[in-house]
Amino acid sequence: MHFPSDQENELFQDLERVLFTREEIARRVAELGRQISEDYRGKPLVLISILKGGIIFLSDLMRSITIPHAFDLVGASSYRGGASSSGKVIITKDAELDLRGKHVLIVEDILDTGHTLNVVCELLRIQGPASLEICCLLNKKRVRERELRQPLRYVGFEIPDEFVVGYGLDYGERYRNLSCIGVLKPEVYGG
Ligand code: IMP
Ligand code: MG
């Protein structure tokens, strides 16, 4: 598949700097896919992504995985319109597959405060999976308000505590279609 370069995307000019290029992301996602394929060989694996930010990562990761697996989606909203989290997480969509006895791997775009992942883990754990682990593309280094109750099994990249967009991540629903991940110019926030 061939997509236009980010330089051709008019949203690219809103970036102050690029943290990870499309090529760097692709390399890391391929490594994660290889590792997951080894670790889950012979086990009934279900990937579960969190709408909406996680779906670009999910679609690339599942094609990097070389063992059979299913996927499902859950919806979680943290009343985040701007660049900071409110702390209240609402589940807007549950998984549809029967997860009993399945090895569930949550595929999330970014860990910030940990509120979202804590709530989603709780939602999935009560459905009786054989195991429950997290694969997170970006881990934001910051003091967590509430400790993540479940450690991250797979991490794509550690990033500084800055608001990032691209590769599924948005600001006001824009920038999800950039292939790179970058930091926005401060004037874009109106700040
Ligand atoms: P948490 O609940 O604070 O960990 O936030 C998790 C959710 O907030 C993620 O799934 C993202 O949708 C969103 N989020 C957190 N940090 C960023 C960011 O830097 N850029 C875009 N979205 C973010
Ligand atoms: Mg998200």
Side-chain angles (χ1 to χ4, degrees):
M1 215 173 307
H2 181 76
F3 299 118
S5 71
D6 278 328
Q7 286 73 17
E8 291 172 77
N9 189 325
E10 62 184 74
L11 295 169
F12 188 74
Q13 65 197 27
D14 289 356
L15 295 184
E16 184 178 78
R17 66 183 203 279
V18 172
L19 285 184
F20 306 106
T21 63
R22 175 205 301 236
E23 292 75 22
E24 289 168 328
I25 297 168
R27 261 197 301 277
R28 187 69 188 115
V29 172
E31 282 171 7
L32 291 170
R34 247 193 317 273
Q35 190 64 53
I36 291 165
S37 305
E38 268 176 40
D39 295 347
Y40 286 91
R41 184 152 294 120
K43 295 175 177 170
L45 171 63
V46 181
L47 304 179
I48 297 197
S49 194
I50 306 177
L51 294 169
K52 304 175 195 169
I55 65 156
I56 306 274
F57 178 36
L58 171 74
S59 78
D60 284 345
L61 184 67
M62 59 189 287
R63 286 174 292 174
S64 304
I65 294 176
T66 50
I67 58 169
H69 62 279
F71 84 88
D72 208 339
L73 300 166
V74 301
S77 159
S78 58
Y79 287 124
R80 177 196 283 274
S84 66
S85 166
S86 69
K88 259 193 243 130
V89 179
I90 301 291
I91 295 295
T92 55
K93 183 197 174 303
D94 199 351
E96 287 164 26
L97 295 175
D98 181 1
L99 302 179
R100 262 170 306 176
K102 301 295 197 312
H103 291 269
V104 170
L105 181 60
I106 299 173
V107 177
E108 172 63 318
D109 49 5
I110 189 165
L111 171 66
D112 186 5
T113 63
H115 291 126
T116 304
L117 276 169
N118 276 339
V119 170
V120 170
C121 280
E122 226 164 85
L123 170 82
L124 298 178
R125 193 172 288 116
I126 57 172
Q127 300 181 36
S131 70
L132 182 65
E133 302 282 357
I134 301 169
C135 175
C136 199
L137 182 65
L138 304 174
N139 183 19
K140 228 185 239 191
K141 282 288 164 208
R142 54 176 279 163
V143 183
R144 302 254 145 76
E145 290 163 38
R146 191 162 20 146
E147 268 312 300
L148 195 63
R149 290 192 215 108
Q150 166 99 18
L152 301 178
R153 170 99 182 255
Y154 308 95
V155 176
F157 304 101
E158 308 282 348
I159 61 165
D161 187 8
E162 286 181 281
F163 194 79
V164 297
V165 295
Y167 199 68
L169 289 153
D170 73 307
Y171 175 66
E173 294 301 327
R174 306 176 96 187
Y175 307 102
R176 297 192 194 274
N177 62 320
L178 284 170
S179 295
C180 65
I181 292 169
V183 177
L184 282 177
K185 290 176 180 162
E187 58 262 36
V188 178
Y189 301 104

